Amino acid sequence: MSDPHPRLAALVQRAQQGAKATRIALAYPCDATAMDAAARIADARLAQPVLVGPREAIARAAEAAGVDASGFEIVDTGSAAPDAARRAVALAREGAVGALMKGSLHTDELMSAIVDRHAGLRGDTRISHVFLFDLPRYPKLLGLADCVVNIAPTLATKRDILGNAIALLQKIGIAQPKVGIVAAVESVNPAIPATVDAQALVEMARQGTWPGACVEGPFGFDNAISAEAARIKKIESQVSGDADLLLMPDLNAGNMLYKSFVYIGGGECAGLVLGTRVPVVLTSRADSLVSRIASVALAVLAAA
């Protein structure tokens, strides 16, 4: 039986072949799901999990998951989840780990430690997020940004979101990524700010802001994803039907499309927080095992 998500499987295989024991800190892995993920990451030889949290709670979670915790490095912290988040971030700042992964703590608890201006992991650009989707009816991996972090991004923030995502795609071997900037319509309309932003971003690309990338827009979603839809609307494009990345107008649109891809479209994805000193895997409790493993593989490739 063929793998239903062969592109993500290939991504995992690449990470396994190129992995040099990347150490990944799991922040507060204190439930069975987090400990099962740690065990599977280790079994797949993707990375070396470092468990950061209260030792007794980790032991209980390991027992619940049927996992032997004795083979893992454990960095013992206070019992509160924010303590584990701060310690995991400190390990990344010190260079002791090459990536972070969310355990069983709340997203805002981990992100608070990451974005702390004095002890966090801020880089030179705005922190953002990208998903890479393996969709049954699309011929290659498709990136979506930003569906998780930035709620109502300004033009300056979109520039960073785009730059972070393009850099990741180029890091994993897509030297000339094709980018579609998505809005409600494909024409510039001052009443729809996303279309005006798209026009500005395309001009930035023409001026060489992202060498190698082909950036076009605004697109309606249909003519970004379908060359036939673009042809019918008489849109001449190098991106339509062949996009590597779609830049979404805001969190509402991005988050709904991402969940539609998963729950209706049969897609699976790998996701990372970018713009930080190390890549961050920001898993959801509803994420599948395929998504968790693929996200770690993407983090390993990004950290290489």
Side-chain angles (χ1 to χ4, degrees), residues 111-203:
M111 289 305 297
S112 292
I114 288 170
V115 303
D116 184 281
R117 292 193 176 276
H118 302 292
L121 296 174
R122 289 176 180 269
D124 296 330
T125 64
R126 177 89 177 191
I127 291 173
S128 63
H129 188 277
V130 69
F131 282 116
L132 286 186
F133 267 93
D134 191 337
L135 297 163
R137 294 181 60 189
Y138 198 72
K140 57 183 177 179
L141 289 173
L142 177 64
L144 288 186
D146 180 338
C147 307
V148 175
V149 173
N150 291 285
I151 297 171
T154 62
L155 176 59
T157 299
K158 288 179 182 179
R159 174 181 171 140
D160 283 353
I161 293 170
L162 196 51
N164 289 343
I166 288 171
L168 175 68
L169 292 178
Q170 291 176 330
K171 187 80 180 281
I172 65 171
I174 304 171
Q176 297 179 309
K178 296 181 178 180
V179 181
I181 303 172
V182 178
V185 295
E186 59 274 4
S187 55
V188 177
N189 183 340
I192 305 176
T195 66
V196 179
D197 287 350
Q199 184 181 46
L201 292 165
V202 169
E203 183 57 33

Side-chain angles (χ1 to χ4, degrees), residues 272-287:
L272 281 185
V273 174
L274 305 172
T276 45
R277 295 191 187 188
V278 302
V280 179
V281 178
L282 202 62
T283 53
S284 163
R285 284 169 291 181
D287 284 346

Side-chain angles (χ1 to χ4, degrees), residues 244-260:
D244 297 292
L245 172 68
L246 300 181
L247 180 72
M248 304 308 295
D250 58 31
L251 189 70
N252 277 316
N255 198 270
M256 284 187 277
L257 183 58
Y258 132 59
K259 289 173 180 172
S260 297

Side-chain angles (χ1 to χ4, degrees), residues 101-103 105 107 271 281-287 291-292 295-296:
M101 183 174 183
K102 177 176 172 268
L105 74 176
T107 295
V281 178
L282 202 62
T283 53
S284 163
R285 284 169 291 181
D287 284 346
S291 179
R292 290 170 186 267
S295 296
V296 172

Side-chain angles (χ1 to χ4, degrees), residues 212-238:
C214 175
V215 180
E216 295 181 355
F219 287 109
F221 176 74
D222 56 344
N223 43 64
I225 210 74
S226 166
E228 178 64 10
R231 186 192 64 78
I232 291 169
K233 291 187 177 182
K234 296 181 170 54
I235 298 170
E236 294 185 8
S237 170
Q238 299 179 60

